[in-house]
Amino acid sequence: EGIATSLINIGNINYYRKAYRHALENYMGALKIFVELKDFDGMGSAYNSAAVIYEQLNEYDRARDFLQKALNLYEDQNDKINQSKVLDNLADIYYEHYKDYKQALLLYEQALGLKQDINSKSGVALVTCNLGALYGKMGNFPKAFQFFNQSRKQFEEIGDKAGLVMVYYN
């Protein structure tokens, strides 16, 4: 397990160095070990990490497939925290790369529901901001500003300045 965790960490370093192929090798090596150990949390983490790399490499179908594998694992484990993160990542792919706004909306709404269930104030604020951006892209500006204002208030309440910058940017 320590080796697999170390491979994830090395993969993260390679990701930040933009050495994406090396990061992917690290994540896949970790995944192999996590599968052998039947470590479902580790497997989910490796799937999610590999999906991030595939997105960077513009391999969106593979990114989506790996996120779906992570989501299935987290659903089986009833891990709402990680389910919500993966749903948000999936929604981003449908929104930004497939331009499938209907599917993105569905996924963001599912992520938001889970964030609300686990009372993640920062998570709710983030997904609310993402919904604002999506509605803006769909041309529904009143709804977009409704979500942006809601997100802004949420980030202000928790004192998250980086979140506020994201809202103002959008």
Side-chain angles (χ1 to χ4, degrees):
E1 184 178 337
I3 293 170
T5 301
S6 294
L7 284 168
I8 292 286
N9 292 333
I10 294 167
N12 293 343
I13 291 167
N14 280 319
Y15 167 76
Y16 287 112
R17 292 178 54 230
K18 298 185 188 291
Y20 298 130
R21 293 286 176 197
H22 291 297
L24 189 58
E25 290 171 14
N26 299 132
Y27 296 146
M28 297 309 256
L31 177 61
K32 182 179 177 185
I33 295 169
F34 285 134
V35 168
E36 289 172 11
L37 296 173
K38 295 183 177 36
D39 180 336
F40 298 111
D41 289 335
M43 290 165 58
S45 176
Y47 283 136
N48 195 41
S49 296
V52 169
I53 298 301
Y54 282 123
E55 184 177 7
Q56 291 297 315
L57 296 172
N58 301 323
E59 295 183 34
Y60 307 118
D61 291 344
R62 292 188 89 177
R64 182 199 57 217
D65 292 346
F66 273 79
L67 287 170
Q68 190 60 55
K69 289 177 184 186
L71 181 61
N72 293 342
L73 279 173
Y74 292 137
E75 286 174 343
D76 289 345
Q77 300 300 310
N78 198 30
D79 181 345
K80 291 182 179 184
I81 292 170
N82 283 313
Q83 281 179 55
S84 67
K85 291 176 185 176
V86 171
L87 284 166
D88 195 49
N89 289 343
L90 267 171
D92 289 345
I93 287 176
Y94 278 95
Y95 164 47
E96 295 173 11
H97 305 295
Y98 292 145
K99 310 298 186 212
D100 184 344
Y101 302 140
K102 184 177 179 181
Q103 183 65 24
L105 179 60
L106 176 68
L107 293 165
Y108 280 137
E109 288 173 342
Q110 290 174 354
L112 181 61
L114 289 170
K115 299 282 189 193
Q116 291 168 332
D117 287 351
I118 60 176
N119 197 29
S120 172
K121 293 179 190 246
S122 62
V124 168
L126 173 65
V127 177
T128 302
C129 184
N130 290 344
L131 281 163
L134 176 61
Y135 275 106
K137 188 59 100 174
M138 294 187 320
N140 188 339
F141 300 117
K143 192 88 166 176
F145 282 112
Q146 175 189 340
F147 278 105
F148 286 139
N149 284 326
Q150 185 180 348
S151 180
R152 179 186 48 79
K153 289 176 187 172
Q154 292 164 333
F155 280 126
E156 285 173 347
E157 286 176 11
I158 60 175
D160 186 334
K161 292 180 182 180
L164 285 171
V165 169
M166 180 177 53
V167 172
Y168 292 134
Y169 173 81
N170 285 320

